[in-house]
Amino acid sequence: MHRMIIEGGQPLNGDVRVSGAKNAALPLFAAGLLGDGPLLLDNVPDLKDIHTMAAVLRHMGALAEVTDGRAEIDPRPVNNPTAPYEMVKTMRASALVLGPLVARHGRARVSLPGGCAIGERPINLHLKALEAMGAQISLEQGYVTAVAPKGGLKGADFFFDTPTVTGTENIMMAATLARGRTVLRNAAMEPEVTDTARALTTMGADIRGAGTETVTIEGRGSLRGGRHRIMADRIETGTFMVAAAITGGRVRIIDGPQGCLGALEKKLEEAGARIEANDQFVLVTGPDRILSADARTRPYPGFPTDMQAQFMALMTVGSGLSVIQETIFENRFMHVGELKRMGADVRLDGNTAIISGVEHLSGAPVMATDLRASASLILAGLAARGQTEISRVYHLDRGYERIEEKLLGLGARVRRIRE
Ligand code: EPU
């Protein structure tokens, strides 16, 4: 198991390049199952979750190769539309194959994802929407089986009780091959949904309104293969923005996504950071003293839950009181106990964290519990006095490509211990 050692107190300076977005790449791999030919993807990040997704596709018989930032998915040999427990349990986003499989092959058998470190995370809305499209859903031995009606899925008018990112993607993909029109209401508006729709369009799908709360899909008899460049990772971008702010450094983040970090930028400005953004880069200059600010996670375009832990790390060294409310996941405060070990003053009350900023954090051995919690510990370690040792960094490798290399390039004192 790997550990990360950080000597804190070094302001980060310089340029860093953002990788392709994990949460866009994952639905796009699943989208590769829909066509009659291969889907080529560029800007594919080299991450554990991506390799797991490729393995899920190969398990079904598809060809799924990932090399040097490119992926080719050829769905033609698929002969086993199943996602097994061993794979789904390590990555719940495997459930994204459900919609494409049932749409393309009339049948899918996918292990029902269990809860995870950040919450229960049901997929009931994915299943309800497929049912509305005529699929028969049954649950046996931990597996969901979805069977399309004779003649295939049919278009439906479906309202999501709560906006769900992978739910919207799953059903949008299924609808591209359904008979007639599907209208998804209260859909998730995250940029990764829009990126998925863009790729599907190059494959011949007819989708309108992706990125708004109503997405309309006219089903097609078939889709072809295609080629698509995956959008840049907005959460990686945001994490480096906080890294600049928390260390009082100056970081130019290159090739990030365009115009989708407004809510975070506003909060970082409230915290005293200076931000200059254009179509090539975002330049973040950290303040001398971080000002405390409140935040409340919301679906896009609100403040992202995937940035909550990192923003909390910043607020632990704020000038006063900060109130952070997590409204998306019920258990996404696992980093709090670890930040406290570093001297943070945080009180939890249900889904609210009340943070009293301290002058400085001090390095300590801490444990990563999930992807974004790990990122918050790295940020805290960068700002802390002394040495921080983070164990279980495999969580980090699920979502941050070459993280220590990128941090080293910005002058951080960080190293990985492999044992
Ligand atoms: N929900 C339901 N029923 C459903 C689906 C969702 O009640 O059928 C609830 C969830 O429990 C949650 C809320 O709806 O309270 C929103 O969850 P959503 O479905 O949007 O989350 P997700 O699609 O499972 C994606 C990202 C997460 C990110 C969330 C929220 C991917 C692969 N994952 O998850 O990313 O936190 O959207 O933005 O896109 C991460 O990258 O670290 C990560 C966890």
Side-chain angles (χ1 to χ4, degrees):
M1 232 185 287
H2 296 186
R3 284 175 296 141
M4 198 88 98
I5 311 278
I6 302 175
E7 302 289 341
Q10 187 69 26
L12 299 195
N13 277 298
D15 289 357
V16 62
R17 198 171 290 277
V18 177
S19 301
K22 166 181 83 81
N23 288 351
L26 292 171
L28 286 167
F29 272 60
L33 293 168
L34 287 163
D36 288 339
L39 175 64
L40 299 177
L41 296 170
D42 297 302
N43 205 27
V44 179
D46 184 11
L47 298 172
K48 199 148 136 236
D49 274 10
I50 301 300
H51 296 292
T52 305
M53 194 63 164
V56 171
L57 300 188
R58 285 194 295 269
H59 174 87
M60 296 166 189
L63 303 177
E65 296 298 327
V66 188
T67 30
D68 297 336
R70 286 194 61 189
E72 176 168 358
I73 296 140
D74 189 341
R76 287 171 292 192
V78 169
N79 55 12
N80 175 26
T82 303
Y85 177 64
E86 294 67 42
M87 288 171 167
V88 178
K89 79 170 183 214
T90 65
M91 191 189 65
R92 41 184 310 111
S94 325
L96 280 164
V97 299
L98 190 60
L101 285 177
V102 70
R104 179 76 173 76
H105 299 277
R107 183 182 184 86
R109 190 165 177 270
V110 173
S111 172
L112 186 69
C116 82
I118 63 175
E120 189 198 346
R121 302 184 74 186
I123 59 161
N124 59 315
L125 298 174
H126 306 221
L127 302 180
K128 233 171 126 181
L130 285 174
E131 252 170 359
M133 298 174 82
Q136 291 269 6
I137 307 281
S138 54
L139 178 66
E140 254 172 53
Q141 296 174 325
Y143 279 77
V144 175
T145 302
V147 181
K150 244 193 169 133
L153 293 175
K154 51 186 177 33
D157 193 313
F158 186 79
F159 180 88
F160 286 102
D161 290 340
T162 189
T164 152
V165 177
T166 50
T168 303
E169 291 158 351
N170 219 343
I171 304 310
M172 181 171 77
M173 291 191 281
T176 60
L177 289 178
R179 283 175 288 142
R181 172 180 301 173
T182 298
V183 183
L184 302 180
R185 301 182 196 275
N186 199 27
M189 302 193 282
E190 269 67 4
E192 294 77 12
V193 174
T194 315
D195 203 45
T196 306
R198 245 184 246 129
L200 290 167
T201 306
T202 73
M203 298 167 72
D206 180 348
I207 302 174
R208 275 170 295 134
T212 74
E213 61 192 23
T214 307
V215 185
T216 306
I217 306 110
E218 305 288 345
R220 293 274 184 248
S222 65
L223 297 185
R224 52 180 182 265
R227 181 160 193 173
H228 178 76
R229 184 177 169 81
I230 297 170
M231 68 175 283
D233 198 308
R234 66 193 166 99
I235 306 302
E236 187 195 8
T237 306
T239 303
F240 281 113
M241 290 170 77
V242 176
I246 201 170
T247 61
R250 186 175 155 86
V251 176
R252 209 160 64 133
I253 305 154
I254 297 167
D255 285 349
Q258 293 303 311
C260 58
L261 279 156
L264 176 67
E265 283 177 12
K266 197 168 147 281
K267 285 295 156 191
L268 290 181
E269 280 172 346
E270 259 183 63
R274 271 194 296 124
I275 299 177
E276 191 190 319
N278 60 33
D279 11 324
Q280 270 104 50
F281 61 79
V282 188
L283 174 65
V284 182
T285 311
D288 292 333
R289 181 76 215 259
I290 291 149
L291 307 175
S292 292
D294 299 337
R296 182 163 186 246
T297 63
R298 305 290 297 163
Y300 188 82
F303 189 89
T305 174
D306 287 347
M307 284 301 304
Q308 179 257 110
Q310 301 90 314
F311 189 71
M312 190 184 297
L314 181 67
M315 289 301 107
T316 61
V317 284
S319 55
L321 263 193
S322 155
V323 177
I324 298 182
Q325 237 189 318
E326 171 58 57
T327 75
I328 309 291
F329 293 113
E330 66 274 19
N331 192 26
R332 211 174 198 182
F333 280 142
M334 303 275 281
H335 42 286
V336 169
E338 302 301 306
L339 289 172
K340 281 173 141 177
R341 304 197 70 252
M342 300 177 70
D345 181 347
V346 186
R347 255 182 321 124
L348 283 183
D349 183 6
N351 71 344
T352 304
I354 301 139
I355 303 124
S356 293
V358 294
E359 277 291 325
H360 61 86
L361 297 173
S362 55
V366 288
M367 197 168 73
T369 49
D370 72 74
L371 172 56
R372 308 304 170 186
S374 323
S376 86
L377 298 178
I378 296 260
L379 293 167
L382 290 170
R385 288 191 181 163
Q387 182 172 300
T388 296
E389 181 177 321
I390 306 173
S391 54
R392 302 202 178 164
V393 290
Y394 56 82
H395 288 292
L396 202 66
D397 297 331
R398 296 184 58 173
Y400 290 90
E401 188 181 42
R402 295 184 286 106
I403 178 88
E404 68 266 39
E405 208 179 292
K406 292 189 184 188
L407 289 170
L408 279 170
L410 294 172
R413 289 173 298 198
V414 50
R415 71 199 146 90
R416 183 183 289 244
I417 300 194
R418 298 162 205 269
E419 44 187 43

